[in-house]
Amino acid sequence: YAFLILGILGILAYPSNKKINFIFIYLFILSIILELMHIMIPERSFQYSDLFGNSLGVIFIFTVLKFWKLK
């Protein structure tokens, strides 16, 4: 849910199309990197479900934005 909220905040903070594309690429890569970092952090574990959920939150907001701008 965190990346879903970050995506919404990114849309509200930077409404131009060029910056929104950068924000979504950044959030998508960040979600992957943060989950991969769990491999090296003690007491944390890498989980594909978390990686999928983080990525899905970013992709969902991006898709909603694209459909919303088409109207």
Side-chain angles (χ1 to χ4, degrees):
Y1 296 111
F3 283 91
L4 183 76
I5 294 170
L6 286 173
I8 292 170
L9 290 174
I11 291 169
L12 295 174
Y14 299 103
S16 72
N17 284 336
K18 190 172 187 178
K19 288 186 180 182
I20 285 178
N21 289 336
F22 174 76
I23 288 170
F24 283 112
I25 291 169
Y26 175 76
L27 287 175
F28 189 74
I29 292 171
L30 182 66
S31 69
I32 294 170
I33 290 172
L34 288 178
E35 193 58 37
L36 289 174
M37 293 299 290
H38 285 176
I39 295 171
M40 297 184 295
I41 299 171
E43 305 296 325
R44 299 294 301 217
S45 64
F46 173 80
Q47 295 179 351
Y48 284 107
S49 60
D50 285 346
L51 179 63
F52 179 71
N54 294 345
S55 301
L56 190 64
V58 174
I59 292 169
F60 178 74
I61 290 299
F62 186 72
T63 305
V64 168
L65 177 68
K66 290 297 180 184
F67 282 124
W68 183 43
K69 289 207 173 196
L70 288 176
K71 292 183 179 185

